[in-house]
Amino acid sequence: MNVYDSQLVAGLLQQCGYNETNDMSSADVIFLNTCAIREKAEETVHNRLESIQYLKKQKPHLIFGVLGCMAQNIKDDLLESKPYVDVILGPDSYRRIPEIINSRNKKNMHKVDTRLSKFEVYEDLFPSRQGGINAWIPISRGCDKFCTFCIVPFTRGRERSRSLDSIVREVEDAVSNGFIEISLLGQNVNSYRTEGGGFADLLKTISAVSGVKRIRFMSPHPQDMNENLLQVMSDHDNICNYIHLPLQAGSDRILNRMNRTYTRCEYLNLVKKTREYLPDCSISTDIIVGFPGETEEEYLETLQVMEEVIFDRAFMFKYSSRPGTKAAEYTDQINEAIKQNRLERLIKLQHSHTLKANLRHVGKILKVLVEKGSKKSSFQWTGRTEGNMGVIFNKSDEKIKDIVDILINDAKGISLFGSRISEKELMNEIN
Ligand code: SAM
Ligand code: SF4
């Protein structure tokens, strides 16, 4: 979402006559787009701010701004401790950028706008995308779920969906600029709802846009998954056989305390249903360890769910206390050493599961989208399966952006290795 928002801001800056540069010392405007999801993300931004403040001294006319969730969350702290920051804009205030840039010569440069909007979805603004394969397209903003650990509802505000028409226009625009894979984004992408329909309707519509070879989406919330959506995924070949389904924890008491609104059993039933509709579906997840009050037994319940599902991949986090959230006030916070130990055991287990999940593909023919030359050899390509796994194979007559049939021969670590299958060989295989 932040990559997209940065592209949106780049588009607004281009309208003001600016071009992008990779050389910070030659820039007249620097905006740092920030994330507040975990303390680590915030620390990174603080370090970055410290390391670039010297530029402001060298170039007093430089406009230096902080954008996004951290701007929203700690604007007072920024104003006080980082006086060299001129502009602080929350995620709903980017439309003000041209006006702010145009007033750059006026004396008092400090501009702060962190008001959250109930309506802003940047409906009519398209981002400045450099060429590529995958275009991120947000379909909604904000979140109403209020998981007790999460800062997003506070930094990004209430959930609102963008109109179907404007999404389709942006998809068509991306395709006309050479993008062939569309990744639909939302904090809870599948709670998308407008007068034009819900998320499954949107998927169906986008799937019919000419030139869209692949559609992905993230992140769906387990509570908003339904059989209609699974049916649509199964009916349309260009919707990837892949779901990122955040679990967070395997214990019902912890899930309840997190306000996740599903039980372990409901989650496992959902995985079962998904595999009934989409037998080869790759499933990835998010997991938090060391949530306040999590006992060793409750942590082991998370590992049990992992053993039952065998996720293809997992994004694993130590719980990070976010001031202002409900969980930050719980008095039974877990100490850092325990959190670290739980995370390390979790990662180790997931590594073995990723390999196991990858080995399931050996001997199968998978559709692979050719993305770029392999780093290891100029005679090889790297591509992606529908399940978002990297595949390395020898080059023949295919080109970047082709989708080709690859027989998977081996799996090592997080990569698959295979060889191209011609159409004739594929027909023989099928027959
Ligand atoms: N909306 C999605 C959902 O609820 O399933 C997830 C979006 S959230 C921005 C991305 C992930 O960050 C979450 O799934 C969670 O695992 C992690 N996360 C959020 N807040 C966190 C916190 N305070 N500490 C550690 N991880 C956190
Ligand atoms: Fe955060 Fe996702 Fe929960 Fe919303 S649903 S509060 S984005 S973790």
Side-chain angles (χ1 to χ4, degrees):
M1 193 66 104
N2 271 4
V3 170
Y4 179 88
D5 278 2
S6 297
Q7 292 171 344
L8 200 72
V9 170
L12 284 163
L13 286 167
Q14 275 172 9
Q15 285 171 25
C16 303
Y18 287 86
N19 294 316
E20 242 176 277
T21 174
N22 288 326
D23 170 22
M24 277 205 294
S25 62
S26 71
D28 298 305
V29 180
I30 299 176
F31 283 130
L32 214 58
N33 195 7
T34 62
C35 171
I37 196 88
R38 283 170 290 275
E39 200 179 348
K40 183 101 193 306
E42 284 197 357
E43 273 167 22
T44 310
V45 174
H46 279 296
N47 294 340
R48 201 70 200 274
L49 283 169
E50 295 294 336
S51 74
I52 52 186
Q53 66 166 311
Y54 75 95
L55 288 170
K56 185 80 183 169
K57 286 185 193 137
Q58 285 176 356
K59 224 180 184 181
H61 76 276
L62 173 74
I63 299 179
F64 189 28
V66 175
L67 308 179
C69 289
M70 232 174 113
Q72 190 71 41
N73 205 26
I74 56 161
K75 62 172 182 292
D76 295 335
D77 177 38
L78 282 175
L79 276 172
E80 208 166 292
S81 65
K82 313 271 186 308
Y84 50 88
V85 174
D86 305 299
V87 181
I88 300 179
L89 294 178
D92 289 347
S93 307
Y94 301 147
R95 279 180 199 276
R96 291 203 54 206
I97 284 177
E99 165 216 326
I100 288 172
I101 298 283
N102 290 334
S103 65
R104 59 177 298 175
N105 291 327
K106 300 202 180 123
K107 275 220 166 100
N108 181 8
M109 193 51 224
H110 284 284
K111 301 270 184 210
V112 180
D113 188 346
T114 56
R115 283 169 295 183
L116 287 171
S117 160
K118 282 192 186 139
F119 310 104
E120 183 60 275
V121 284
Y122 300 109
E123 183 101 339
D124 51 325
L125 293 182
F126 289 177
S128 154
R129 290 192 178 92
Q130 309 294 333
I133 290 175
N134 173 69
W136 305 103
I137 301 196
I139 61 165
S140 59
R141 294 180 78 90
C143 178
D144 288 346
K145 293 272 195 295
F146 284 94
C147 301
T148 56
F149 53 78
C150 185
I151 196 74
V152 168
F154 304 96
T155 57
R156 286 195 167 254
R158 299 288 56 75
E159 185 174 299
R160 55 230 117 104
S161 297
R162 192 175 160 187
S163 77
L164 206 128
D165 278 358
S166 107
I167 297 169
V168 170
R169 262 187 283 120
E170 191 170 337
V171 170
E172 288 169 346
D173 180 73
V175 170
S176 71
N177 284 312
F179 292 87
I180 51 161
E181 182 177 276
I182 301 294
S183 293
L184 303 176
L185 294 177
Q187 302 300 338
N188 289 300
V189 77
N190 54 338
S191 57
Y192 175 86
R193 174 137 296 283
T194 60
E195 282 168 7
F199 183 61
D201 304 305
L202 174 72
L203 273 186
K204 251 194 263 177
T205 309
I206 303 220
S207 159
V209 174
S210 156
V212 174
K213 289 195 186 175
R214 276 189 171 173
I215 303 171
R216 302 185 183 279
F217 55 87
M218 73 183 299
S219 292
H221 191 292
Q223 183 196 326
D224 297 313
M225 287 299 297
N226 57 49
E227 293 195 34
N228 183 25
L229 173 54
L230 295 172
Q231 186 64 54
V232 168
M233 290 181 71
S234 138
D235 289 346
H236 296 83
D237 280 348
N238 60 355
I239 305 178
C240 287
N241 230 353
Y242 169 47
I243 301 189
H244 179 69
L245 204 56
L247 165 69
Q248 313 299 3
S251 136
D252 282 343
R253 189 185 77 93
I254 296 294
L255 284 170
N256 184 34
R257 234 180 163 212
M258 287 176 161
N259 190 29
R260 284 298 289 182
T261 66
Y262 51 83
T263 60
R264 162 203 178 109
C265 179
E266 283 164 346
Y267 184 94
L268 287 170
N269 282 339
L270 182 56
V271 170
K272 195 161 157 251
K273 262 281 160 279
T274 302
R275 288 183 169 152
E276 276 165 28
Y277 277 85
L278 309 161
D280 284 325
C281 188
S282 294
I283 302 179
S284 60
T285 197
D286 290 347
I287 294 175
I288 297 177
V289 296
F291 183 77
E294 182 190 64
T295 62
E296 175 66 15
E297 289 68 35
E298 286 165 336
Y299 164 72
L300 292 177
E301 287 186 63
T302 299
L303 302 193
Q304 280 160 13
V305 175
M306 290 168 76
E307 294 281 12
E308 278 191 51
V309 178
I310 311 286
F311 293 108
D312 290 67
R313 261 181 320 280
F315 299 90
M316 297 161 279
F317 311 105
K318 284 185 276 186
Y319 167 73
S320 170
S321 173
R322 305 285 60 217
T325 59
K326 196 166 175 192
E329 283 160 25
Y330 293 162
T331 51
D332 44 4
Q333 302 286 327
I334 303 292
N335 84 40
E336 188 56 30
I338 294 181
K339 283 198 241 178
Q340 184 62 31
N341 174 276
R342 287 182 187 168
L343 181 67
E344 282 168 20
R345 287 147 68 201
L346 195 80
I347 291 174
K348 197 163 165 220
L349 181 64
Q350 182 54 44
H351 274 175
S352 70
H353 286 176
T354 298
L355 184 60
K356 199 168 173 180
N358 276 350
L359 285 169
R360 281 198 298 229
H361 299 303
V362 173
K364 287 190 188 157
I365 296 168
L366 299 181
K367 297 265 176 224
V368 174
L369 171 58
V370 184
E371 289 194 340
K372 57 186 174 199
S374 154
K375 275 188 203 146
K376 295 219 170 105
S377 159
S378 57
F379 298 107
Q380 290 183 316
W381 291 117
T382 300
R384 278 199 178 267
T385 65
E386 289 190 36
N388 216 15
M389 287 299 173
V391 182
I392 295 166
F393 59 99
N394 286 346
K395 288 182 178 173
S396 51
D397 60 351
E398 61 285 303
K399 338 178 262 318
I400 286 178
K401 296 188 193 177
D402 282 349
I403 293 182
V404 290
D405 294 299
I406 300 289
L407 172 65
I408 304 299
N409 306 317
D410 200 1
K412 282 191 196 118
I414 54 166
S415 297
L416 296 169
F417 297 83
S419 45
R420 171 92 186 266
I421 294 284
S422 67
E423 262 173 50
K424 198 169 147 214
E425 286 168 312
L426 183 66
M427 290 318 291
N428 288 341
E429 192 79 24
I430 293 168
N431 295 331

